[in-house]
Amino acid sequence: GLSATGDPLFCRKWSSLGVPSLGFPAAWDDGLPVGLQFVGRAGSDRVMLATAAKLLAEIGVIAAMAAPFGAV
């Protein structure tokens, strides 16, 4: 649902251009999500996803998403 993946409206422009995009809440501030969006070149889906996975692991986004209200 929207609470987990965000509003797809933010990726619509990129999808219409035929480029891969990935948007999601990356952190939490006062109980509200702070969004992060990755946009890649056309045909670079795998590279963009691999790069996003590395960055998300590095900055600890998974932990922030698992405990959005400061329980990390």
Side-chain angles (χ1 to χ4, degrees):
L2 291 178
S3 64
T5 62
D7 192 333
L9 178 66
F10 295 112
C11 291
R12 184 179 296 169
K13 291 178 186 179
W14 304 114
S15 295
S16 69
L17 291 172
V19 297
S21 63
L22 174 67
F24 53 91
W28 298 88
D29 185 25
D30 291 328
L32 298 172
V34 176
L36 184 61
Q37 186 172 36
F38 290 95
V39 179
R41 293 180 179 168
S44 69
D45 302 55
R46 290 179 191 228
V47 173
M48 190 216 40
L49 288 172
T51 302
K54 288 178 185 177
L55 179 61
L56 297 177
E58 187 67 31
I59 64 174
V61 167
I62 303 305
M65 289 175 69
F69 299 105
V72 178

